[in-house]
Amino acid sequence: MLLASAVVVWEWLNEHGRWRPYSPAVSHHIEAVVRAGPRAGGSVVLGQVDSRLAPYIIDLQSMNQFRQDTGTLRPVRRNYYDPSSAPGKGVVWEWENDNGSWTPYDMEVGITIQHAYEKQHPWIDLTSIGFSYVIDFSTMGQINRQTQRQRRVRRRLDLIYPMVTGTLPKAQSWPASPASAASPAAPPCSCPQCVLVMSIKAAVADGGTGPLQPPAARKNMPPPGAVKLPPQPGPGAKPLDSTGTVRGPVKTVPSQAIRRQASSTPAGVIAGSPASPPGTNGKTGRVALATLNRTNLQRLAIAQSRVLIASGVPTVPVKNLNGSSPVNPALAGITGILMSAAGLPVCLTRPPKLVLHPPPVSKSEIKSIPGVSNTSRKTTRKQAKKGKTPEEVLKKYLQKVRHPPDEDCTICMERLTAPSGYKGLQPTVKPDLVGKLSRCGHIYHIYCLVAMYNNGNKDGSLQCPTCKTIYGVKTGTQPPGKMEYHLIPHSLPGHPDCKTIRIIYSIPPGIQGPEHPNPGKSFSARGFPRHCYLPDSEKGRKVLKLLLVAWDRRLIFAIGTSSTTGESDTVVWNEVHHKTEFGSNLTGHGYPDANYLDNVLAELAAQGISEDSTAQEKD
């Protein structure tokens, strides 16, 4: 136990294994339910504070987030952070998505960025915490160290996350305090979701007999038998933290001590039931459920559906209840949990299955693609172009500026009228020379451009750091491998009138070359061969031809840190999205997706690959 002050951030675990923070408003809402103890029912309905989270409920007993319409469970946790860090000041750092919306960084990343911002550093390199990005505070941009692609970032103020002070436990379970178990019951919420949760719990507590009524109607009914309150914690139990809001000066504690993440201990009974049957073995909930036969469960489901169907929530059928009938999706999920606990077979209507691959295809059914030569292509490690110095390369793209404007060079952030502020390797040009890029017209110190070129792939191309215009032919650092492509006689969802182009990428593990992040060190290649799919339409074939150009220029993959697993020195996708699901779109990497072909054409154009590129490759 630690006597300290901290901000509390509630977080959920996403499919990539990263803890994502709830917003300050949602965290305050969850904390309010924790403070209320068992009288609040043990469930947090997130839709009460954020309408976008209407399908979600947090069960504080198991510390899981439950999505009512799909039955998906995700772990949640209660995490502590230093009050002087970003969440304690209401500071949120966000990056801009491809669709123009803003996504908050993971809490640790946001805290790291804010710390550098407060120290007035011009930039912060996130490599040390597992991300291959640089945040440039002068341009408020996020730069990918591998691809040099830039996204906008922003810093905004929000509510301060809830504060706690006193004894911070290393681990905690719910309810929040012993005293709260004996507190008078708070007036029940009347929203459909809370009515559902509380009435289900009440029905189970009473053994599943009698008519179902909302909690407000039940509280005046005589109890069927004596009711025992939850036992008080024994002498070995650890007291939990105070939940009062800190109003005076906040004491700062070392970050290693402050970041104690809370865990939960699953309980055998449903906390907060209006009438919990007595028991001594901690498994009373299962005893009551075991008394529910199939008829009572059916009656329970139908009665609740009649009460809550009018709430307007989309319905799904629940099977194994003597036929099928539409019920509220929340009821579907909770009924499934009850049936499973009672040892009865459960078969909720299944969500769409993940379909990664097409049905089996024989060799005779695989055909070459009309208008595309061959069916495979290999790449080897290409060396940087020799014989030209960086100054000679850049001379083709620059015009000297004799009278530079009185504005900043966006590379070194010094005035163009003053010498370059770059302090790296010394190029063989004077630091006060200024040049203008011929096509886009942006102006920089030539000294800075040469230094930037030396830090890149040195392939004879240059990309404007402001507008991303590419000069020359941009190439990447993709490791050696093989790309296969052919037609298969199956259609993709959303493209029923054409066959499918299947692309198979194969890259083996190996040793990093001089152009890679860690020359001489081994790299891994997870998930190969990777299968990708395009419709065999006119636009689909156009995308394939441009992907072949990108493959030859080593731009499809790179070596870096996986955003999915966090593994470093591994082969990762390089800013050109592919569809790896054949018959579904559960992960966002499948079909149907009406905008995908246009989006990938735009991503290829950002890498300097367009229809003109195919003609250049032929030449």
Side-chain angles (χ1 to χ4, degrees), residues 53 131 183 251 279 364 407 475 486 557 559 582:
L53 302 181
F131 296 91
S183 301
K251 293 184 289 184
S364 61
E407 58 187 44
T475 61
H486 48 249
F557 296 97
I559 294 176
F582 175 81

Side-chain angles (χ1 to χ4, degrees), residues 358-370 374-376 484-490 499-504 531:
V361 179
S362 65
K363 288 185 178 181
S364 61
E365 293 178 305
I366 295 175
K367 305 295 182 182
S368 59
I369 303 168
N374 303 317
T375 58
S376 66
E484 301 173 77
Y485 41 94
H486 48 249
L487 283 182
I488 57 175
H490 300 290
K499 297 179 181 180
T500 297
I501 299 171
R502 178 167 62 183
I503 304 170
I504 304 175
H531 291 227

